Amino acid sequence: MINFTVGPVMASNKICEIGAEQVPYFRTSEFSSIMLENEQYMLEFAKAPDNSKAVFMTCSSTGSMEAVVMNCFSEKDKVLIINGGSFGQRFVEICQIHNIPYAAIELEHGRKLTKEKLYEYDGMGYTGLLVNIDETSTAVLYDSLMIGEFCRKNNMFFVCDCVSAFLADPFDMAKCGADVMITGSQKVLACPPGVSIIVLSPKGVDRVKSSNVKSMYFDLKDALKNQERGQTPFTPAVGILLQINARLNEIKNFGGADAEVARVAAQAKDFREKIKYLPFELVSESPANGVTAVHPVTANAYDIFLWLKDEYNIWICPNGGDMKESVFRVGHIGALTHEDNTTLVNALKDLQKRGLL
């Protein structure tokens, strides 16, 4: 199978080989050294400000989204959420569960956030902002610098879910003023799912340390304290953390964060060029590098997903909800090449010859 989904993605042979090894015991100095190196690479690649910290959570990225809301906000806050799709809606639901007062900027599928729309909420007393920088369900990339400027002006605590954007799209945590960045092991890091990473600016660290969280597993104070010695409070996904270390070193050796972003951007550009003459429309008016959301104008999107999976051994990414039959997504992250793009496009062209597109 060739995997064009947005997670889990195609992993390199090296990462797969590590996954086949026996998992070592982790309360050792050797594992601590690996974890401290993982943290330093994450801070470097996120372009985090000095004195930032990173913690590694054994959970999906939704777990880290919830942990950040629990540790950084309370019923005394008034949070603004950018909701342009399934993952913006997830932040809404987390705030509802934890009784965090919020308002949501509702955007139509595929629409970017404009400065005019954002500044309708200027000076209205909001204390925090939650955004999925790449709204993966529609492949819309939001402008982190514009949002960061708005947050600075309004003295808002700025949380960026960069789960699909990290190392796929340009992101500078210090420059945009983000207080928190979240990502996951199964995206550009191209490892199995199961680990999510939270990067905290000094302001984010202070916010966490002053919080009073009624949770054992999601208390980030405990995670920060343990990471100081390269450990985690509870048993982590040891094997995945070893794979993450290999992948971070691989990215470093290939030129670092900017080089990886450029590679993903080139993969996305190649695919979009190759589908120009197929009966498709691109959904996003501000497309992210990591994924392309496609609306087939002559066929059912979910049928295309099934045909490619069952007849061509190719995975693309279906959508759910009201986009299930109208939008599919193609990822450009992981160990994919331009030749893989050609294989996918040739399969789509064959569906067209068969009268299915």
Side-chain angles (χ1 to χ4, degrees):
M1 297 289 288
I2 304 177
N3 185 354
F4 288 93
T5 69
V6 288
V9 301
M10 297 282 284
S12 68
N13 289 335
K14 181 177 183 180
I15 299 302
C16 292
E17 288 167 2
I18 294 171
E21 295 175 359
Q22 289 287 346
V23 176
Y25 182 62
F26 65 101
R27 300 296 192 197
T28 64
S29 60
E30 291 83 2
F31 185 73
S32 291
S33 295
I34 288 170
M35 288 294 288
L36 291 170
E37 184 176 67
N38 284 349
E39 180 180 23
Q40 289 307 306
Y41 277 136
M42 285 300 304
L43 298 178
E44 176 186 342
F45 294 164
K47 302 182 180 179
D50 293 342
N51 300 313
S52 295
K53 302 293 182 181
V55 294
F56 297 81
M57 307 291 289
T58 296
C59 59
S60 72
S61 297
T62 299
S64 285
M65 291 166 69
E66 184 167 24
V68 166
V69 171
M70 292 170 65
N71 283 262
C72 296
F73 300 105
S74 73
E75 294 179 7
K76 297 178 182 178
D77 281 290
K78 183 181 175 185
V79 174
L80 189 62
I81 302 171
I82 313 303
N83 184 5
S86 302
F87 296 96
Q89 179 62 26
R90 193 161 297 177
F91 266 136
V92 168
E93 292 170 6
I94 292 169
C95 286
Q96 290 172 343
I97 289 168
H98 294 284
N99 298 314
I100 308 299
Y102 74 92
I105 300 179
E106 304 282 353
L107 301 173
E108 293 182 18
H109 293 158
R111 299 302 181 190
K112 65 181 180 180
L113 176 67
T114 64
K115 187 171 184 177
E116 292 75 19
K117 184 70 173 176
L118 179 61
Y119 274 78
E120 291 177 11
Y121 298 82
D122 186 28
M124 296 179 65
Y126 290 98
T127 60
L129 187 144
L130 302 171
V131 62
N132 320 90
I133 291 298
D134 171 4
E135 173 49 70
T136 318
S137 65
T138 59
V140 173
L141 183 69
Y142 298 125
D143 187 338
S144 61
L145 295 176
M146 177 188 74
I147 300 171
E149 180 183 14
F150 174 82
C151 288
R152 279 191 293 269
K153 182 177 185 295
N154 287 273
N155 193 29
M156 298 166 71
F157 191 84
F158 183 20
V159 175
C160 291
D161 161 3
C162 291
V163 175
S164 295
F166 179 64
L167 296 175
D169 298 288
F171 181 79
D172 189 319
M173 191 172 174
K175 192 173 181 180
C176 76
D179 298 303
V180 178
M181 188 209 77
I182 304 166
T183 194
S185 56
Q186 78 279 21
K187 301 294 185 176
V188 176
L189 291 178
C191 293
V195 170
S196 183
I197 304 141
I198 303 171
V199 179
L200 299 156
S201 73
K203 182 178 173 182
V205 171
D206 290 343
R207 179 71 69 102
V208 166
K209 288 183 175 180
S210 65
S211 67
N212 182 23
V213 177
K214 293 182 179 180
S215 173
M216 177 179 285
Y217 196 79
F218 287 122
D219 187 345
L220 296 184
K221 289 190 295 297
D222 203 6
L224 282 169
K225 183 178 180 180
N226 277 270
Q227 181 58 33
E228 289 177 5
R229 61 190 181 96
Q231 287 290 331
T232 57
F234 312 105
T235 303
V238 176
I240 299 172
L241 289 163
L242 295 176
Q243 290 171 302
I244 287 173
N245 182 256
R247 176 66 175 138
L248 290 171
N249 275 283
E250 182 178 81
I251 292 167
K252 180 68 173 180
N253 293 335
F254 288 163
D258 292 343
E260 185 65 17
V261 170
R263 189 197 67 77
V264 176
Q267 184 73 6
K269 182 180 179 181
D270 178 74
F271 172 74
R272 291 165 190 166
E273 287 290 327
K274 287 174 177 173
I275 64 166
K276 273 187 173 180
Y277 301 104
L278 288 170
F280 297 147
E281 294 176 350
L282 300 188
V283 174
S284 172
E285 63 181 11
S286 177
N289 288 333
V291 58
T292 300
V294 178
H295 169 55
V297 297
T298 59
N300 181 293
Y302 196 75
D303 286 344
I304 294 172
F305 159 71
L306 292 175
W307 290 327
L308 290 173
K309 175 177 70 74
D310 296 338
E311 300 180 32
Y312 297 88
N313 292 320
I314 295 171
W315 281 318
I316 58 171
C317 206
N319 250 317
D322 60 357
M323 290 186 282
K324 178 179 179 179
E325 296 184 353
S326 60
V327 176
F328 67 80
R329 294 165 293 157
V330 174
H332 312 300
I333 55 180
L336 291 170
T337 66
H338 291 4
E339 290 72 25
D340 293 324
N341 281 344
T342 298
T343 299
L344 170 57
V345 172
N346 284 341
L348 292 167
K349 289 179 177 178
D350 190 59
L351 288 175
Q352 188 179 37
K353 289 179 183 177
R354 294 167 56 191
L356 297 174
L357 283 189

